[in-house]
């Protein structure tokens, strides 16, 4: 079977059914005079139909979970980078204000700075209007942040915040998942897996991995900065307070139903906190110790 | 608070008139994802993961490899969000990543098989898992006719060169338009049609025994 140059594209369109009528007639005239080519094209069309009818397969659930977990991990990284940039910016702003203002006016200005710092801790872009005259914050990598803040940034998330809104069904599914959490030290992988499962169980919820040490880092930066006195008002003491979490969501602790579960590990292992804040209608008081498996593995 | 349905049917990509809307929606979601909105990225991933998995599954002929590369596709997409300029649709952009990964993986597997064949040439005639799959004998009495045909077609597909396999999967299984395939594989339209025709002929040749049998029965 010889197919002359140019015929391949024509036959391809013929098989696909995308030829205009005049060209189609031309191809059919050719096929009627060449039995071998006719048979080939016919079989190619059958093969195409057979291929089209092969059942589609769905991605296994673990693929979804892995993708969501990676996205969450990346998101946590972005938050840290933005927070670090904002901290540097806020601290630099404080230094500038402190150095250029007369002493007698410094105190009132310093009192305003924590607002900047507080906003920065939530969202770097939120303080942009305050620093219109300053250049955009530079990208900072983890070693720079650690050097600046004089703290070690842990490479792992240490808390999960869950916001379910007012959806009771979402709460039920979330709590069902939480019942399966081993009451022990959680590894990074287990936390990420848990986050993925929680997201899958209640897609309308926000499930966020949080690193409490970033809050500690903020306090450290604030103490070292010229606005330490004022900043200390917003720097919570160790451990990261539920109030801080509630403030981040724009609510007071009384407006949120907060329950804290701690997973203490022996020896030198880090201590993880799983803090759950369920916004909206307060839930009846629940002793989390009763809702979790009582035995540690 | 945005919602992320985990069932891809709820966000199933549309064809035809709704496709433009879908593309705009995806482009906006990727823009949000670039700004750090993980739920926006999750929506795109959930919308396309099944189609990408299915295409990779057919091209690679292995479910584990397909799952691995589907995951890797979205990891790469997330890591390189800044390279998505919106000049092509999110759909073709994701498929381009997936196809590049599939090509790389095929090369790796081919090298591994070549080494294995060299090492085991005296004692192992079946170094290629795809060959094993193609040569395995299904049990016709227990498998429905449709399933048997699907298996034969998939086995034939798996015997084709990787570039022809990709073309046929994107066109016939994924249902892409010519231009979309041309964008994904970065080939001119005319070249694409010639290659597609040759791939169809090659698949037809691989299915010769099946067709002959069918005609004999008829």
């Amino acid at each position: 079977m010889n197919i002359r140059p140019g015929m391949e594209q024509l036959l391809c369109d013929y098989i696909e059914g995308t030829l205009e009528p005049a060209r189609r007639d031309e191809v059919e005239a050719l096929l009627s005079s060449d039995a071998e080519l006719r048979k080939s094209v016919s079989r190619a069309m059958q093969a195409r139909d057979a291929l089209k009818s092969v059942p589609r397969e769905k991605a296994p659930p673990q693929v979804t979970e892995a993708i969501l977990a990676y996205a969450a991990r990346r998101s946590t990284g972005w938050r840290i980078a933005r927070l670090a940039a904002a901290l540097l910016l806020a601290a630099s702003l404080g230094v500038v204000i402190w150095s250029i203002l007369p002493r007698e006016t410094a105190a009132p200005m310093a009192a305003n700075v924590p607002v900047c710092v507080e906003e920065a801790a939530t969202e770097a872009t939120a303080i942009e209007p305050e620093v219109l005259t300053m250049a955009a914050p530079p990208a900072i990598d983890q070693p720079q942040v650690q050097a600046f803040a004089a703290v070690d940034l842990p490479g792992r998330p240490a808390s999960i915040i869950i916001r379910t809104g007012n959806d009771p069904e979402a709460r039920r599914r979330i709590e069902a998942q939480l019942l399966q959490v081993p009451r022990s030290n959680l590894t990074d992988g287990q936390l990420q897996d848990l986050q993925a499962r929680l997201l899958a169980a209640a897609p309308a919820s926000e499930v966020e991995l949080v690193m409490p040490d970033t809050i500690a880092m903020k306090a450290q930066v604030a103490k070292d900065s010229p606005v330490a006195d004022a900043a200390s008002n917003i720097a919570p003491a160790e451990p990261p307070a539920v109030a801080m979490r509630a403030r981040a969501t724009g609510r007071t602790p009384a407006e949120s139903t907060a329950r804290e579960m701690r997973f203490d590990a022996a020896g030198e292992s880090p201590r993880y906190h799983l803090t759950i804040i369920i916004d909206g209608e307060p839930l009846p008081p629940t002793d989390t110790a009763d809702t979790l498996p009582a035995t540690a593995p | 608070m945005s919602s992320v349905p985990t069932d891809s049917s709820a966000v199933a990509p549309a064809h035809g008139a709704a496709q433009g809307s879908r593309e705009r929606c995806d482009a906006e979601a990727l823009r949000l994802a670039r700004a750090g909105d993980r739920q926006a990225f999750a929506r795109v991933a959930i919308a396309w993961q099944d189609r990408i998995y299915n295409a990779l599954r057919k091209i690679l002929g292995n479910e584990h490899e397909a799952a691995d590369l589907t995951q890797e596709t979205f990891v790469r997409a997330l890591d390189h969000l800044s390279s998505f300029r919106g000049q092509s649709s999110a759909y073709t952009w994701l498929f381009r990543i997936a196809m590049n990964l599939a090509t790389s993986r095929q090369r790796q597997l081919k090298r591994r098989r070549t080494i294995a064949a060299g090492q085991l040439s005296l004692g192992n005639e079946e170094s290629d898992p795809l060959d094993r799959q193609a040569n395995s004998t299904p049990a016709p009495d227990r498998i429905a006719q449709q399933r048997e045909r699907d298996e034969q077609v998939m086995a034939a597909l798996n015997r084709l060169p990787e570039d022809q396999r990709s073309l046929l999967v994107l066109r016939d299984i994924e249902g892409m338009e010519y231009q979309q395939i041309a964008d994904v594989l970065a080939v001119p339209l005319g070249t694409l049609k010639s290659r597609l025709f040759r791939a169809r002929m090659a698949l037809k040749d691989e299915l010769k025994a099946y067709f002959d049998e069918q005609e004999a029965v008829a």
Side-chain angles (χ1 to χ4, degrees):
Chain A
M1 181 182 65
N2 284 325
I3 298 175
R4 60 182 167 80
M7 276 301 289
E8 288 179 337
Q9 294 178 29
L10 199 61
L11 287 169
C12 179
D13 282 336
Y14 178 78
I15 290 171
E16 300 294 330
T18 55
L19 268 187
E20 56 191 50
R23 303 305 301 272
R24 192 177 62 230
D25 292 346
E26 185 186 324
V27 171
E28 284 176 351
L30 175 70
L31 294 178
S32 65
S33 65
D34 186 335
E36 189 185 358
L37 180 60
R38 187 168 65 246
K39 185 177 177 183
S40 286
V41 168
S42 170
R43 285 190 168 187
M45 291 168 93
Q46 288 179 58
R48 175 205 60 193
D49 293 342
L51 199 52
K52 280 185 174 175
S53 71
V54 171
R56 288 171 179 260
E57 294 167 80
K58 286 191 165 189
Q62 58 267 33
V63 171
T64 311
E65 290 176 7
I67 293 168
L68 294 180
Y70 183 78
R73 223 158 43 230
R74 278 289 306 243
S75 179
T76 305
W78 285 332
R79 280 166 199 268
I80 292 169
R82 285 192 310 202
L83 171 62
L87 287 171
L88 272 183
L89 198 57
S92 304
L93 182 63
V95 171
V96 170
I97 291 170
W98 185 260
S99 61
I100 64 174
L101 288 181
R103 284 290 162 199
E104 54 273 23
T105 58
M109 285 300 294
N112 290 331
V113 172
V115 178
C116 275
V117 177
E118 176 73 3
E119 288 175 351
T122 308
E123 181 65 58
T125 53
I127 65 168
E128 282 178 0
E130 305 282 343
V131 290
L132 286 176
T133 58
M134 297 187 70
I140 310 164
D141 60 22
Q142 191 182 29
Q144 286 174 297
V145 174
Q146 292 181 160
F148 178 80
V151 293
D152 285 329
L153 271 178
R156 62 189 176 278
S159 295
I160 293 183
I161 289 184
I162 304 158
R163 299 186 194 97
T164 64
N166 289 319
D167 182 359
E169 179 60 20
R171 285 185 202 164
R172 191 192 61 72
R173 288 198 297 265
I174 288 275
E175 293 196 341
Q177 289 291 329
L178 290 174
L179 284 175
Q180 298 171 23
V181 176
R183 200 178 179 204
S184 63
N185 188 17
L186 294 179
T187 65
D188 296 1
Q190 284 172 319
L191 272 170
Q192 284 148 14
D193 179 56
L194 173 63
Q195 184 192 29
R197 282 194 285 122
L198 293 174
L199 266 178
S205 301
E206 287 181 6
V207 181
E208 178 181 347
L209 295 179
V210 175
M211 302 173 75
D213 287 22
T214 57
I215 295 172
M217 186 178 76
K218 186 174 76 172
Q220 182 75 36
V221 171
K223 279 175 198 165
D224 290 345
S225 76
V227 292
D229 288 343
S232 63
N233 293 328
I234 58 133
E238 152 76 18
V242 168
M244 194 65 192
R245 301 269 190 273
R247 194 153 58 215
T249 64
R251 296 172 187 276
T252 66
E255 288 173 328
S256 295
T257 302
R259 289 177 292 161
E260 185 164 347
M261 282 176 269
R262 295 182 178 210
F263 300 91
D264 295 320
E268 296 178 359
S269 300
R271 189 175 63 183
Y272 291 94
H273 303 272
L274 177 59
T275 303
I276 306 166
I277 295 178
I278 300 175
D279 291 340
E281 295 282 331
L283 292 176
T286 308
D287 183 353
T288 54
D290 291 336
T291 62
L292 290 172
T295 55
Chain B
M1 187 182 301
S2 53
S3 163
V4 183
T6 51
D7 178 6
S8 62
S9 62
V11 286
H15 290 287
Q19 195 167 333
S21 166
R22 174 78 234 176
E23 286 175 8
R24 282 193 297 278
C25 188
D26 284 339
E28 173 62 11
L30 289 183
R31 190 189 65 76
L32 291 171
R34 217 164 30 223
D37 183 343
R38 68 171 184 275
Q39 294 212 352
F41 185 81
R43 282 195 294 277
V44 174
I46 287 166
W48 296 110
Q49 61 175 1
D50 285 344
R51 291 175 70 164
I52 287 177
Y53 171 81
N54 183 56
L56 288 170
R57 172 77 179 86
K58 303 297 192 285
I59 290 169
L60 298 167
N62 179 302
E63 62 191 81
H64 300 298
E65 295 282 354
D68 189 30
L69 286 199
T70 302
Q71 187 181 324
E72 184 63 19
T73 297
F74 289 101
V75 166
R76 292 278 177 100
L78 196 53
D79 287 346
H80 297 88
L81 271 176
S82 58
S83 70
F84 178 73
R85 309 255 177 235
Q87 290 165 340
S88 61
S89 69
Y91 169 64
T92 52
W93 182 62
L94 289 169
F95 263 88
R96 197 179 306 141
I97 296 172
M99 291 304 111
N100 286 340
L101 287 170
T103 302
S104 300
R105 184 61 59 92
Q106 290 283 328
R107 284 188 190 134
Q108 286 171 3
L109 291 174
K110 196 174 174 183
R111 273 200 300 272
R112 213 174 295 163
R113 284 200 295 267
T114 304
I115 293 167
Q119 289 169 341
L120 303 172
S121 58
L122 293 177
N124 188 351
E125 296 296 319
E126 282 191 342
S127 59
D128 189 337
L130 298 182
D131 288 345
R132 282 202 299 276
Q133 184 179 343
N135 293 334
S136 65
T137 306
D141 54 338
R142 294 188 316 168
I143 301 173
Q145 192 177 359
Q146 176 68 43
R147 175 127 184 231
E148 184 185 340
R149 188 182 74 167
D150 291 342
E151 286 181 352
Q152 298 228 27
V153 169
M154 289 311 300
L157 184 71
N158 282 332
R159 289 192 294 271
L160 297 183
E162 187 261 337
D163 58 335
Q164 292 189 336
R165 202 157 60 230
S166 299
L167 264 176
L168 291 172
V169 167
L170 293 181
R171 178 64 182 168
D172 292 339
I173 293 179
E174 181 47 33
M176 278 189 183
E177 300 293 334
Y178 283 151
Q179 190 57 56
Q180 288 176 314
I181 303 174
D183 288 343
V184 167
L185 300 178
V187 293
L189 209 52
T191 307
L192 172 77
K193 288 183 183 180
S194 296
R195 287 185 188 173
L196 186 57
F197 178 75
R198 275 177 248 148
R200 292 207 182 290
M201 289 295 114
L203 181 64
K204 177 261 301 178
D205 290 342
E206 289 293 340
L207 284 167
K208 182 177 185 307
Y210 173 76
F211 284 135
D212 287 346
E213 187 184 341
Q214 293 296 308
E215 285 177 6
V217 170

